[in-house]
Amino acid sequence: MHIIESGNVAAANGVKLARVQVVAAYPITPQTPLTEKLSEFVDAGEMDAEYIPVESEHSALAVCIAAASTGARAFTATSANGLLYMNEQLHWAAGARLPIVMCVVNRGIGAPWTVWNDHQDAISQRDTGWIQLYCCDHQQIIDTVLKAFYLAETVSVPVMVCYDGYILSHTYMPFEIPEQADVDKFLPPFKPAYALQSGQPANLNTVTLPDVRPDVRGDMAPGYMEIRHNLHTDMRDAIEVLADIDQKFAGVFGRNGNPYIEEYRCDDADFVAICLGSLSYHLRDVVDILREEGLSVGVMGLRLYRPFPDQAVRAALSRRKGVVVFEKALSYGNQGALYADIKSALYCTAEKPAVHNYILGLGGREIKTDQLVECFRNSCRHPETIDDEPQWIGLKM
Amino acid sequence: MNQDIIKIRWHGRGGQGAITAAKIVANAAFVSGYTGVVMAPTFGTERRGAPVLTSLQISKQKIYDLSPITQPDMVVVLDHLIVEEVDVAGGLKPGGLIIINSSRHPDDFDFNGMKVATADVTHIAGEAGLPTGIVNTGIIGAFAKASGLIDMETLTRAIEDEFKGKHPEKNSRAARVTFENTIVGGN
């Protein structure tokens, strides 16, 4: 069934269909309507879950960590400074290998205070050990929430489902709500390898010594560094697992999600724009305009940011003349984070495309089609003339 | 690039229900075959009573640019006093249409040759049994009459779906009576 609703409502419906058992959240714009909707579902008896209101985002994730430790399917959502307030618990959830799913409704970070969209919140948390998936429209939001639980529970790594604040969260568009029976066919119940039980107290994630040593049963237990190595290798394996899950999703729902990169007019393109989130759909119109002018261009939306699908990125970009990275986030004093990742992925290729970096849309600064057209056109016409410094779009100085 | 997009800007006041009105039209448009529908409220400080606006784009194809519209084909104004506070005709395409909730005749308005349609939605909605100031369903009737985009039957169903359990008949009656009493001015 198709409905016309906001991106937040799309996410809430995904959470409901995933049969989430525990929701803990603290309201923050522009995430609030998502968790309000979930509390309505629980209140109306449409969702068999505990909704636990908390006094902060730190507690929201702490509740999810506790719930997931007992084997419950847990969900939270936040934005911007709320995500930052969770930071310590983000690392904990990943280190404890708990398959929590969280929607990050992307918003700029204060100070100065802003409620509008950019990607600095999620990008600044990229090294917490969470998988990060990005969405371009409401169908992708609801579908990605379902895939996220499957992925998280398969690799025991928590997942952020990121989508643009306001641009997607508060915009209404049609999307299909999957049938519960199909979702149940796709997403098996959460069966943890170990679950805390009230009759059997246990210490979890206590002080771990620098070196390996025998545990209470006399078996050699991994030390801190082995545990970190396992997290890293399981994150790398998650790249393949995501493709399998995407395939299975397509088998049930008939929608192919392009697990790593969603391409538009890229087959013969000499120059390719790449970015995260809904901007890649906006850039489709820009590509059409530049194609009319005779330029050989295409656009790619990167769906998976962490773990970084470097092989797929390399395969998609290595033989292009130029790659243009549009970013709504910045590693201050250096470059856009995605730009650095893409250059790194291309470093070992024989023929390296020119790579340009544009920073735009910070704190909700309007992104105009004609600005995108001009910058992308400029990069195509003069691929070698722009230096490694990021260029700013729409800066009024 | 999808250039076959009809762009409609809705002006109202915070709390007046312009977003709900645009959402109802979006639903009716989708049912009528416009599979590309995007409704994007403009956000910031939408305190009650302050002028707010909402973008609605409808198309037979998927819409990829979700930016707020700057050059609408039509403008719908839920409160005639907004005309004095906000440049409601700003960016309107030549030959564009402005639909206003007003007891005045369209000829009383001058928007540089833009087509104007008016209906006294405030009065009609009150007659239909809605509380004073609830105009967001009535104005849909004026939109239907002046734009001719979506038939009144589909809009009536969309209104009654939206207001299930919240006086659906009064709301749809407000729209139907407004439809009959909308005056469309000359160019």
Side-chain angles (χ1 to χ4, degrees), chain B:
Chain B
M1 184 179 171
N2 181 4
Q3 293 180 336
D4 181 24
I5 302 176
I6 300 157
K7 299 179 178 183
I8 309 159
R9 192 171 61 210
W10 300 70
H11 291 269
R13 293 190 185 278
Q16 202 175 24
I19 290 175
T20 305
K23 192 184 154 198
I24 290 166
V25 172
N27 273 305
F30 184 74
V31 173
S32 306
Y34 292 96
T35 50
V37 176
V38 171
M39 198 272 280
T42 302
F43 294 97
T45 51
E46 53 282 271
R47 67 183 192 283
R48 281 189 174 266
V52 295
L53 56 89
T54 298
S55 298
L56 175 64
Q57 304 186 68
I58 61 178
S59 172
K60 303 262 163 137
Q61 298 165 47
K62 187 171 170 67
I63 295 167
Y64 287 104
D65 178 1
L66 306 180
S67 317
I69 56 179
T70 51
Q71 292 181 297
D73 298 282
M74 296 171 205
V75 172
V76 184
V77 184
L78 274 72
D79 177 342
H80 67 99
L81 290 175
I82 288 175
V83 170
E84 289 155 32
E85 295 171 48
V86 177
D87 179 17
V88 295
L92 193 62
K93 288 180 190 164
L97 171 65
I98 304 181
I99 300 154
I100 309 172
N101 167 21
S102 168
S103 58
R104 291 158 67 192
H105 192 275
D107 294 348
D108 293 345
F109 293 91
D110 179 16
F111 293 106
N112 290 323
M114 299 295 180
K115 198 163 155 182
V116 177
T118 60
D120 191 355
V121 183
T122 308
H123 176 73
I124 294 166
E127 291 279 292
L130 292 173
T132 308
I134 302 296
V135 295
N136 61 340
T137 43
I139 195 79
I140 290 170
F143 162 80
K145 177 74 167 285
S147 71
L149 266 180
I150 302 161
D151 67 78
M152 204 51 221
E153 200 179 315
T154 310
L155 285 164
T156 301
R157 265 202 307 277
I159 290 169
E160 292 182 354
D161 281 351
E162 180 68 29
F163 287 92
K164 237 179 274 167
K166 290 179 279 184
H167 308 297
E169 297 82 16
K170 287 179 188 173
N171 278 291
S172 60
R173 193 185 318 138
R176 282 198 311 274
V177 177
T178 304
F179 181 90
E180 299 301 336
N181 290 281
T182 299
I183 308 166
V184 183
N187 280 317

Side-chain angles (χ1 to χ4, degrees), chain A residues 69-88:
Chain A
S69 301
T70 69
R73 188 171 276 167
F75 175 83
T76 187
T78 191
S79 299
N81 292 56
L83 181 66
L84 305 190
Y85 197 23
M86 285 180 178
N87 173 270
E88 183 247 352

